[in-house]
């Protein structure tokens, strides 16, 4: 609590913003916002699981900074990321007289962040908003980069926008209430950043497994700040997914999406699927001669020590291939994968023959 928060700056010209990573900083969200925008009305969007524990504290902090507050609480879970719930929130904003000066404050995981960000992007042609992410996944991934949106029944994240927040305020103490399984799932994305962009960070993670598992605050601040910096670097160079650079963030995700789809989105958390997917992708890279076995082994050991599953679920390889070829990363029926060529570096490899993927899934233990 005494340590100063770390600031990660995401530089996007006029849309630039700070990601502040501290411990015990929730009571300062009001100040954080007030320093960035003169505001008199804030609408907090949150879910039932964090309403009492975290959103209420954000509310009193905003009130302390002189803002009138409205609090909108949605049901926890992916099904709240819908047009119906967004519609409900638009109407509530209208009811309370929200105008273009109202600030939206998202307090919750990726579901709340994507939904609240989408409502902010669309209401009155766009309101300013602040992200206060409370899951590890949201702190290192979904709250950073301005991708906001909702799902359609048949397609995840199909309706949305690129809408950058005014700022992101991360308090590592919010993770104290996060269930162990959700916490570990977030760690998969942290490991991903090391593999795709930063071998030194990967090394640091290997040496701090115990601190990370215990959620030791200074280790958490470092892991989160480094992850945010790495994601910010990518977003700065490819804000709207136009140059293809942002695709590096999809390491392990082609496999992961297929696993999530085929297991029905209930059995696996996203991060668990990503953990399995990274090992499959790494084995694929080995097969294609991009890396040696040791590079896969280090990832497998680290993910395993962090309590993540590292072997893919038992699925029909043909069904996996079929699901993958419907994935948006497939061009003209050819499979493309983001694969490591060494720890800390990935490349987009096109035209991967399906026999290689079959082999990876068949030899999985
Ligand atoms: N916008 C992006 O760039 C981006 C990137 C990755 C993922 N996403 C999206 O993020 C979503 C997943 O986010 P998530 O994993 O945070 O899921 P989530 O928001 O559903 O949170 C997971 C669970 O934890 C609960 N929770 C949140 N914070 C808590 C806390 N501090 N203590 C106790 N419980 C808490 C939630 O109520 C929920 O039940 C997906 O919809 C995904 O599409 C978006
Ligand atoms: Zn992911």
């Amino acid at each position: 609590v005494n340590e100063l928060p770390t600031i990660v700056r995401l530089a996007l010209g006029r849309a630039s913003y700070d990601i502040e990573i501290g411990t015990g900083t929730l009571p300062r969200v009001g100040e954080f916002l007030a320093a960035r925008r003169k505001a008199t009305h804030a609408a907090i969007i949150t879910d039932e699981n964090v309403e009492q524990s975290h959103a209420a504290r954000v509310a009193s902090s905003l009130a302390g900074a002189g803002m009138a507050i409205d609090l909108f609480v949605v049901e926890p879970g992916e099904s709240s990321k819908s047009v119906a719930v967004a519609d409900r929130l638009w109407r509530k904003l209208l009811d309370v007289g929200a105008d273009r000066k109202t600030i939206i404050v998202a307090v919750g995981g990726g579901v709340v962040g994507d939904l609240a960000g989408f409502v902010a992007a669309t209401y009155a042609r766009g309101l300013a908003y602040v992200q206060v992410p409370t899951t590890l996944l949201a702190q290192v991934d979904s709250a950073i980069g301005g991708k906001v949106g909702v799902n359609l029944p048949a397609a995840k994240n199909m309706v949305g926008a690129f809408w950058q927040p005014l700022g992101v305020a991360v308090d590592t103490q919010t993770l104290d209430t996060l269930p162990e399984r959700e916490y570990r799932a977030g760690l998969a994305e942290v490991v991903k950043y090391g593999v795709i962009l930063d071998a030194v960070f990967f090394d640091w993670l290997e040496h701090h497994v115990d601190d990370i598992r215990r959620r030791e605050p200074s280790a958490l601040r470092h892991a989160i700040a480094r992850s945010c910096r790495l994601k910010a670097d990518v977003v700065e160079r490819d804000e709207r997914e136009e140059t293809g650079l942002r695709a590096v963030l999809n390491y392990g995700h082609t496999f992961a999406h297929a696993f999530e789809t085929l297991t029905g989105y209930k059995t696996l958390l996203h991060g668990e699927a990503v953990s399995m997917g990274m090992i499959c992708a790494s084995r694929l890279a080995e097969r294609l001669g991009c890396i040696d076995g040791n590079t896969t082994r280090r990832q497998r050991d680290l993910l395993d020590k962090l309590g993540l599953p590292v072997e893919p679920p038992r699925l029909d390889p043909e069904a996996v291939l079929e699901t993958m070829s419907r994935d948006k990363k497939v061009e003209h029926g050819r499979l493309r994968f983001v694969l490591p060529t060494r720890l800390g570096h990935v490349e987009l490899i096109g035209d991967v023959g399906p026999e290689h993927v079959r082999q990876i899934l068949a030899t999985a233990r």
Side-chain angles (χ1 to χ4, degrees):
V1 186
N2 296 319
E3 273 94 351
L4 283 174
T6 304
I7 307 272
V8 171
R9 179 85 177 159
L10 203 158
L12 285 173
R14 293 188 57 215
S16 299
Y17 55 95
D18 289 336
I19 304 156
E20 189 195 78
I21 301 113
T23 302
T25 45
L26 227 44
R28 301 224 326 260
V29 172
E31 260 173 72
F32 179 81
L33 202 176
R36 284 158 181 82
R37 187 64 60 94
K38 204 169 145 288
T40 52
H41 180 218
I44 298 175
I45 298 178
T46 190
D47 80 21
E48 286 160 6
N49 287 339
V50 290
E51 180 189 357
Q52 307 292 333
S53 46
H54 308 305
R57 307 183 60 208
V58 173
S60 40
S61 170
L62 295 172
M67 280 167 247
I69 315 296
D70 282 291
L71 183 74
F72 302 134
V73 186
V74 303
E75 278 176 28
E78 190 69 28
S79 59
S80 282
K81 238 178 82 173
S82 67
V83 178
V85 175
D87 177 59
R88 214 144 64 220
L89 292 167
W90 289 324
R91 289 159 196 262
K92 284 184 178 169
L93 283 169
L94 190 65
D95 285 347
V96 301
D99 63 19
R100 310 224 48 242
K101 291 193 212 94
T102 299
I103 312 275
I104 304 286
V105 180
V107 184
V111 164
V112 163
D114 283 13
L115 170 73
F118 176 68
V119 167
T122 47
Y123 187 84
R125 298 197 177 81
L127 302 182
Y129 76 113
V130 172
Q131 292 272 16
V132 185
T134 63
T135 63
L136 183 57
L137 180 125
Q139 294 174 353
V140 300
D141 190 357
S142 64
I144 321 298
K147 276 211 296 186
V148 299
V150 295
N151 303 322
L152 293 182
K156 249 183 83 78
N157 298 322
M158 196 37 102
V159 176
F162 289 97
W163 190 244
Q164 302 295 341
L166 266 185
V168 181
V170 174
D171 180 352
T172 63
Q173 251 172 30
T174 59
L175 299 179
D176 291 352
T177 57
L178 189 68
E180 183 64 21
R181 199 173 159 207
E182 294 285 351
Y183 176 69
R184 287 182 197 172
L187 290 174
E189 303 282 1
V190 173
V191 171
K192 180 191 79 178
Y193 290 117
V195 179
I196 65 174
L197 293 163
D198 189 346
V200 173
F201 181 44
F202 188 92
D203 213 78
W204 181 89
L205 290 168
E206 289 179 318
H207 287 93
H208 292 81
V209 166
D210 292 338
D211 289 339
I212 292 165
R213 288 204 64 148
R214 296 192 278 120
R215 309 187 197 188
E216 194 280 315
S218 70
L220 271 178
R221 286 197 300 275
H222 179 72
I224 294 166
R226 193 64 202 143
S227 298
C228 288
R229 182 65 263 160
L230 292 167
K231 178 154 184 186
D233 287 342
V234 173
V235 172
E236 284 171 359
R237 290 188 287 160
D238 184 17
E239 185 190 355
R240 291 170 177 257
E241 282 177 15
E242 285 159 346
T243 71
L245 180 70
R246 204 157 162 169
V248 302
L249 300 170
N250 285 325
Y251 174 54
H253 281 60
T254 304
F255 281 101
H257 289 149
F259 298 158
E260 291 179 279
T261 303
L262 291 168
T263 54
Y265 286 100
K266 288 232 158 68
T267 341
L268 292 174
L269 294 180
H270 174 69
E272 293 169 342
V274 169
S275 176
M276 298 164 162
M278 288 192 288
I279 298 306
C280 290
S282 189
R283 285 181 181 145
L284 184 58
E286 259 182 66
R287 249 190 98 76
L288 299 174
C290 304
I291 50 162
D292 59 16
N294 190 47
T295 306
T296 307
R297 208 166 310 120
R298 283 178 70 186
Q299 293 170 69
R300 195 181 183 283
D301 286 351
L302 177 57
L303 291 164
D304 183 54
K305 284 183 187 153
L306 293 171
L308 282 155
V310 287
E311 293 302 335
R314 285 179 196 285
L315 294 165
D316 174 10
E318 298 313 314
V320 174
L321 275 167
E322 147 96 34
T323 309
M324 278 177 175
S325 55
R326 277 188 270 116
D327 197 295
K328 56 178 181 266
K329 278 168 292 300
V330 175
E331 232 165 43
H332 313 301
R334 310 304 306 192
L335 293 169
R336 291 197 299 167
F337 291 90
V338 174
L339 299 179
T341 52
R342 58 171 193 273
L343 262 185
H345 187 80
V346 284
E347 279 171 26
L348 191 59
I349 313 281
D351 215 3
V352 176
E355 68 278 7
H356 296 296
V357 176
R358 262 185 216 112
Q359 193 61 35
I360 297 305
L361 295 165
T363 53
R365 287 142 286 251

